[in-house]
Amino acid sequence: MRLVVVGGGIAGLAAAHRAVELSRERGTPLDLTLLEARDRLGGTIETERAGGFLVEAGPDSFLSEKPWALALCRRIGLESRLVGTDDRFRRVFVWFGGRLHPVPDGFQLLAPTRLAPFVTSSLFSWPGKLRMALDLVLPRGGGGDESLGAFVRRRLGREALERIAQPLVAGIYTADPDELSLLATMPRFVELERRERSLILGLWKASRQAPAASTSGARWSLFVSLVGGMAELIAAVAARLPHDAVRLKHRVSGIERRGADWRVTTEEGGPVDADAVIIASETHAASRLLRYVDPALATMLELVPYASSATVSLGYRRADIPYPLDGFGVVVPRSERRDLLACTFSSVKYPGRAPEGHVLIRGFVGGTLNAAALERDDGEIVDRVRRELREALGITVDPTLSRVWRHPSSMPQYAVGHLTTVETIERRVAAAPGLFLAGGGYRGVGIADCVRSAEAAADAAFARR
Ligand SMILES: Cc1cc2nc3c(=O)[nH]c(=O)nc-3n(C[C@H](O)[C@H](O)[C@H](O)COP(=O)(O)OP(=O)(O)OC[C@H]3O[C@@H](n4cnc5c(N)ncnc54)[C@H](O)[C@@H]3O)c2cc1C
């Protein structure tokens, strides 16, 4: 089979790798070409080593409870290279009202599951706590797709949304909760309300049924990374592809149908003809490529909005940091009007991120609610992050390392109605034999979901043979 994969992020690589596996398993000859516009593989995933620090430009981990990325690591011999989080420091803080408040123990993203830490928490006011407790008696509501913001306001109140749900969600999706589809991002909560009515009761019941992760004997923490950073995953997958399959600095400029074949054109090289094409780029790039193949499909792809963000990594001598750094990091409610959306204490969360006697802190800036922060130049972005770290953590010294990475239009935003858009996209793609889509724009933004969608695309391409 002649297969072209467009895009060399984790989705494109995982699709190409699965195709290699399938060709071997089935004895089907494979002529594979992976076209990547940039001069490197990995897409948003990039790791740099500098001054003894290991710095992640984008993603720093993947979820282990969604099995696909972990399973891929196992198949490519990376299991011994996986590292979990240091769960002694598992808690996260909310920077609210000029203070760092720990997220109460047992809090599960939107709602509490344990009474004492919630009741004694300094993060919520008494009226706010009582409003959250109303969830215990409120009837079911909603119906249809609802924004995460509307859902949390309805069940738990405004304070729960502003002080915890919004900043935690911004740290994951860089999104505006009033736009974000609950069904597309956290269907578990929709199901919980449908089944149990009260989120607090439902989560409490579930937490009693499933023993805590630390006692369950689960092999991995919730988030996992690799000893050498996320780029190790990219390098290991790439090493398993045929040596001549990958063409860097090849931006695909057009895709056309030629009878039963596909012709993929790049700006740099000659056209490549294929039996099947997997487009694993951002949906806005896929939209441009498909405008002559199926204009309606291109329009649907254009409907998926993307947010931009930047990461700011700062290295310090441990002795210069007055704050104990006894957590994974800090999230910042939008109502605080800061540039920082969140910051991770990277060298506390994962081993080997900073040299002996040093710490690595990574700030996260921008997103849908604060796109203006990215209009500043890199120096200004660093200055503002440092000013905010001074206020939050008392860090006054100059960092020994400072790095900024920008991620323009890189994070898909699953707006209300997203799943309907995706279903339409999938129907139209199914009507174009040999064409497949994969990546973070469709049914899950995280790395694990990207691997799942990519492997499903390769499976579907081979199923046609
Ligand atoms: C700052 C940041 C932090 C994140 N942190 C995490 C995290 O900790 N954990 C997690 O699970 N997820 C995280 N994510 C999400 C994660 O990055 C994505 O799930 C995943 O990496 C997306 O992979 P992808 O292959 O779908 O897309 P991308 O990585 O965006 O790759 C798409 C590739 O397609 C290429 N391309 C586009 N157009 C063309 C063209 N015309 N021709 C050729 N090539 C083209 C691009 O150059 C790019 O390399 C984060 C995202 C960001 C932005």
Side-chain angles (χ1 to χ4, degrees):
M1 174 164 64
R2 296 165 304 161
L3 173 66
V4 171
V5 176
V6 181
I10 186 60
L13 285 165
H17 173 259
R18 181 76 191 129
V20 170
E21 280 182 332
L22 288 166
S23 125
R24 210 170 286 141
E25 280 165 23
R26 300 185 180 188
T28 310
L30 175 67
D31 179 0
L32 174 68
T33 308
L34 185 149
L35 300 165
E36 166 53 52
R38 304 184 205 185
D39 59 1
R40 61 168 187 84
L41 292 171
T44 57
I45 299 175
E46 190 178 359
T47 308
E48 186 189 302
R49 283 178 186 279
F53 291 92
L54 191 147
V55 189
E56 297 287 9
D60 65 356
S61 57
F62 57 86
L63 269 178
S64 66
E65 64 181 8
K66 294 188 169 189
W68 305 284
L70 198 55
L72 174 63
C73 287
R74 290 193 170 119
R75 299 207 308 283
I76 59 177
L78 281 183
E79 187 157 14
S80 63
R81 303 288 297 167
L82 293 168
V83 286
T85 48
D86 187 343
D87 285 346
R88 287 175 303 162
F89 303 110
R90 194 167 174 170
R91 63 187 179 162
V92 170
F93 298 91
V94 180
W95 189 20
F96 173 75
R99 277 181 57 195
L100 295 185
H101 307 261
V103 172
D105 265 357
F107 212 94
Q108 292 200 14
L109 206 55
L110 305 184
T113 59
R114 291 180 51 199
L115 188 63
F118 169 63
V119 170
T120 55
S121 169
S122 58
L123 178 58
F124 307 110
S125 68
W126 277 109
K129 287 175 190 171
L130 290 172
R131 174 62 188 84
M132 288 167 87
L134 259 190
D135 165 77
L136 293 167
V137 295
L138 280 175
R140 291 180 180 84
D145 199 358
E146 191 178 13
S147 77
L148 180 115
F151 177 78
V152 176
R153 242 184 246 110
R154 173 166 71 71
R155 290 240 51 108
L156 302 152
R158 200 164 55 97
E159 199 172 292
L161 175 65
E162 287 177 2
R163 297 193 191 175
I164 200 147
Q166 180 276 322
L168 286 176
V169 163
I172 304 170
Y173 294 98
T174 66
D176 176 350
D178 284 322
E179 302 285 335
L180 199 68
S181 156
L182 185 68
L183 204 59
T185 55
M186 295 174 204
R188 175 179 174 223
F189 288 101
V190 180
E191 176 57 18
L192 211 56
E193 184 183 35
R194 196 191 58 75
R195 218 179 45 228
E196 308 283 349
R197 187 186 50 77
S198 157
L199 300 187
I200 297 177
L201 279 180
L203 287 171
W204 176 76
K205 269 200 216 166
S207 68
R208 283 174 61 93
Q209 278 158 12
S214 54
T215 58
S216 68
R219 173 78 181 83
W220 291 109
S221 53
L222 186 57
F223 298 102
V224 284
S225 188
L226 289 142
V227 176
M230 294 302 297
E232 215 179 318
L233 173 60
I234 300 303
V237 179
R240 300 210 156 213
L241 304 183
H243 71 277
D244 57 350
V246 173
R247 297 189 202 162
L248 297 177
K249 293 200 249 176
H250 275 65
R251 178 176 295 280
V252 175
S253 51
I255 294 179
E256 62 183 293
R257 222 174 179 156
R258 303 197 127 210
D261 287 0
W262 292 90
R263 171 159 286 187
V264 180
T265 321
T266 65
E267 286 167 7
E268 296 78 6
V272 189
D273 290 331
D275 304 304
V277 180
I278 298 176
I279 305 183
S281 65
E282 305 86 341
T283 60
H284 44 82
S287 165
R288 282 193 294 278
L289 298 180
L290 292 171
R291 62 188 179 275
Y292 299 120
V293 173
D294 180 346
L297 171 60
T299 304
M300 298 309 287
L301 288 164
E302 195 72 63
L303 284 181
V304 180
Y306 274 69
S308 303
S309 59
T311 59
V312 179
S313 289
L314 300 170
Y316 294 97
R317 273 181 294 276
R318 181 70 190 88
D320 289 339
I321 310 278
Y323 193 79
L325 299 181
D326 50 353
F328 284 173
V330 179
V331 296
V332 189
R334 181 67 197 124
S335 54
E336 296 295 286
R337 307 269 154 217
R338 305 284 183 176
D339 270 19
L340 275 173
L341 293 173
C343 94
T344 305
F345 305 153
S346 306
S347 56
V348 176
K349 198 169 174 186
Y350 295 105
R353 269 44 187 167
E356 193 58 36
H358 288 71
V359 293
L360 182 66
I361 296 178
R362 188 172 84 144
F364 204 27
V365 172
T368 302
L369 290 177
N370 198 7
L374 301 172
E375 287 163 14
R376 311 185 216 293
D377 65 31
D378 286 4
E380 275 178 282
I381 289 181
V382 171
D383 285 349
R384 292 183 77 108
V385 167
R386 287 188 53 199
R387 199 179 314 153
E388 293 183 7
L389 289 180
R390 184 161 60 234
E391 282 183 58
L393 306 174
I395 304 173
T396 51
V397 295
D398 290 343
T400 59
L401 168 124
S402 164
R403 288 278 184 286
V404 179
W405 269 280
R406 289 172 185 264
H407 299 276
S409 300
S410 299
M411 183 62 102
Q413 306 287 293
Y414 292 179
V416 173
H418 177 79
L419 290 182
T420 310
T421 307
V422 171
E423 278 158 21
T424 312
I425 289 172
E426 287 171 349
R427 263 199 311 277
R428 296 206 75 94
V429 170
L435 177 68
F436 306 92
L437 300 178
Y442 308 99
R443 292 186 181 271
V445 296
I447 290 169
D449 280 312
C450 288
V451 170
R452 180 178 55 107
S453 79
E455 293 185 344
D459 287 344
F462 270 75
R464 292 182 64 238
R465 307 297 303 164

